[in-house]
């Protein structure tokens, strides 16, 4: 009421909050599964493999759509987009507004809840390593941005990442309902490339050019500044930047390899269809035509009623 602004920083009590929201995420996961995805699955009659992938994409579509709207609201109200300099000015950003801190805690809670969901959803054994790798990468990046006081940069990067992931899983859902509809995959490909370029540009701008201009920040546990002093070291800064570039390059390489394989399969399918159509047309041309309505018996054409189809000559009286 008196205009006092309350801000927060991270601490051990965050673990209790994250644990609470893990249970909330499990309940919401079950609600989406029972009241939305299971009803759609009964109508589609998918196989076991497609059923598992449909459930995975359905859950992630709901999560990514919610996170994109929420993250966009946060970055707009905090003016991180309108003022890009705020991404590195006054670094380290030890003290956070409530909505920024709450967003990060909910993100950590969601990806931690995905671990017990692997058991509850009875995920196939061959799918578990892939999903564990995805969960570990999200937890590493979100927790790293939260602990290294790079929350503002992390918000923008999460917004870009979740936007691309939303289109990908939405395209999968449409594909499972209609296997001939792959238009959304083309939209996802464009969004993916654009978001990767923006991601790499932001990393270079903030870590490579923005943070070196910030005044030196020493280790200060009393203020909660435990990790920010690392960015004073140019070797650490360049190592982080190199790892980011290598990671983005590997992601782009996998994406290009996936697209080339997809296009190759598409053209092979089209060529096989053309060959099948050409073979069917040639068979129709070589098929003998039936010129009479009768049948042959001992070399003589007989009509259907057993008489000869030839007209008989009448004898003169």
């Amino acid at each position: 009421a008196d205009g006092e602004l309350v801000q927060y920083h991270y601490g051990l009590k965050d673990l209790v909050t994250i644990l609470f929201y893990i249970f909330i995420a499990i309940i919401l996961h079950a609600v989406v599964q029972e009241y939305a995805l299971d009803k759609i699955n009964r109508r589609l009659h998918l196989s076991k493999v497609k059923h598992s992938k449909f459930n995975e994409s359905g859950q992630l579509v709901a999560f990514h759509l919610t996170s994109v709207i929420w993250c966009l609201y946060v970055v707009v109200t905090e003016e991180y987009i309108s003022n890009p300099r705020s991404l590195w000015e006054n670094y380290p950003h030890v003290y956070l507004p409530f909505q920024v801190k709450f967003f990060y805690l909910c993100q950590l809670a969601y990806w931690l809840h995905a671990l017990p969901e692997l058991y509850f959803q009875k995920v196939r054994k061959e799918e578990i390593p892939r999903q564990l790798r995805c969960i570990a990468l999200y937890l590493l990046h979100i927790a790293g941005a939260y602990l290294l006081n790079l929350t503002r940069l992390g918000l923008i990067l999460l917004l870009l990442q979740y936007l691309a992931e939303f289109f990908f899983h939405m395209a999968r859902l449409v594909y499972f309902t209609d296997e001939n509809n792959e238009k959304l995959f083309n939209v996802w490909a464009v969004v993916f490339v654009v978001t990767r370029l923006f991601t790499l540009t932001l990393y270079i701008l903030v870590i490579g050019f923005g943070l070196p201009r910030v005044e030196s920040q020493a280790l200060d546990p009393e203020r909660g500044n435990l990790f920010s002093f690392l960015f004073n070291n140019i070797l650490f800064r360049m190592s982080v930047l190199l790892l980011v570039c290598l990671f983005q390059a590997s992601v782009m390489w996998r994406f290009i390899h996936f697209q080339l394989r997809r296009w190759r399969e598409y053209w092979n399918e089209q060529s096989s269809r053309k060959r099948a159509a050409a073979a069917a047309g040639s068979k129709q041309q070589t098929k003998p035509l039936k010129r009479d309505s009768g049948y042959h018996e001992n070399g003589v054409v007989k009509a259907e009623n057993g008489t000869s189809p030839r007209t008989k000559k009448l004898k003169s009286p």
Side-chain angles (χ1 to χ4, degrees):
D2 56 356
E4 181 182 359
L5 180 63
V6 180
Q7 292 186 325
Y8 305 83
H9 61 85
Y10 53 79
L12 292 177
K13 293 181 181 180
D14 290 345
L15 299 178
V16 182
T17 308
I18 291 172
L19 180 62
F20 172 77
Y21 284 103
I22 285 176
F23 294 116
I24 298 298
I26 292 175
I27 295 172
L28 294 176
H29 190 115
V31 170
V32 173
Q33 184 67 41
E34 182 175 355
Y35 292 98
L37 298 179
D38 287 344
K39 292 183 179 180
I40 298 174
N41 275 320
R42 294 191 194 101
R43 297 181 180 180
L44 296 178
H45 303 289
L46 300 174
S47 62
K48 290 185 178 180
V49 177
K50 290 184 178 180
H51 184 273
S52 176
K53 293 182 178 179
F54 184 87
N55 288 337
E56 178 190 356
S57 293
Q59 293 286 348
L60 290 176
V61 161
F63 168 71
H64 286 138
L65 179 60
T66 305
S67 297
V68 165
I69 297 174
W70 188 4
C71 188
L72 183 62
Y73 173 79
V74 172
V75 297
V76 169
T77 54
E78 296 295 334
E79 299 181 352
Y80 296 154
I81 294 181
S82 59
N83 183 20
R85 289 179 176 271
S86 62
L87 298 179
W88 62 82
E89 283 183 345
N90 301 321
Y91 181 82
H93 308 131
V94 179
Y95 297 101
L96 308 174
F98 171 77
Q99 61 179 354
V100 176
K101 179 181 176 64
F102 186 58
F103 178 82
Y104 271 92
L105 294 183
C106 289
Q107 292 295 314
L108 292 171
Y110 178 86
W111 290 110
L112 285 172
H113 111 281
L115 295 173
E117 285 294 342
L118 296 178
Y119 173 77
F120 295 147
Q121 295 293 322
K122 298 179 181 179
V123 178
R124 296 182 304 154
K125 292 183 178 180
E126 55 269 22
E127 289 289 327
I128 290 178
R130 178 185 63 83
Q131 295 199 24
L132 284 177
R133 186 165 56 249
C134 178
I135 294 170
L137 286 173
Y138 272 112
L139 287 174
L140 178 64
H141 284 78
I142 296 173
Y146 186 63
L147 295 176
L148 293 175
N149 304 314
L150 291 170
T151 51
R152 299 181 182 181
L153 175 63
L155 283 172
I156 306 296
L157 296 179
L158 279 177
L159 177 62
L160 295 173
Q161 174 67 17
Y162 286 163
L163 185 64
E165 289 293 307
F166 169 76
F167 279 102
F168 172 71
H169 290 287
M170 194 67 197
R172 286 180 72 181
L173 291 180
V174 174
Y175 175 77
F176 289 140
T177 56
D178 182 10
E179 294 187 355
N180 295 322
N181 192 347
E182 298 185 1
K183 294 181 180 179
L184 269 181
F185 279 110
N186 298 327
V187 177
W188 163 72
V190 175
V191 174
F192 182 86
V193 173
V194 173
T195 53
R196 294 281 75 77
L197 292 176
F198 271 103
T199 298
L200 189 58
T201 303
L202 279 174
Y203 268 116
I204 296 175
L205 179 64
V206 176
I207 298 178
F209 296 97
L211 291 179
R213 298 181 181 181
V214 178
E215 296 180 359
S216 178
Q217 297 289 340
L219 177 64
D220 189 1
E222 294 182 358
R223 294 183 61 246
N225 186 4
L226 301 176
F227 302 100
S228 303
F229 72 97
L230 294 174
F231 286 97
N232 293 331
N233 190 339
I234 187 173
L235 182 61
F236 177 80
R237 215 164 42 235
M238 296 306 296
S239 299
V240 171
L241 196 58
L242 179 61
L243 288 175
V244 168
C245 293
L246 291 176
F247 179 74
Q248 294 298 324
S250 66
V251 171
M252 283 300 300
W253 169 251
R254 292 178 60 187
F255 170 77
I256 293 172
H257 180 72
F258 169 77
Q259 290 296 328
L260 291 176
R261 184 180 62 183
R262 177 167 165 257
W263 289 337
R264 185 165 56 248
E265 292 176 354
Y266 173 77
W267 289 114
N268 289 338
E269 182 180 356
Q270 292 296 321
S271 60
S272 62
R273 287 182 180 179
K274 290 181 180 179
R275 287 196 298 267
S282 61
K283 286 182 180 180
Q284 290 180 357
Q285 291 179 358
T286 57
K287 185 177 180 180
L289 298 176
K290 193 174 182 179
R291 296 182 179 180
D292 47 57
S293 60
Y295 64 93
H296 291 77
E297 183 178 346
N298 296 328
V300 180
V301 178
K302 299 290 184 180
E304 293 180 356
N305 57 3
T307 60
S308 175
R310 297 179 182 178
T311 58
K312 294 182 179 180
K313 293 182 180 181
L314 297 177
K315 294 182 180 180
S316 58

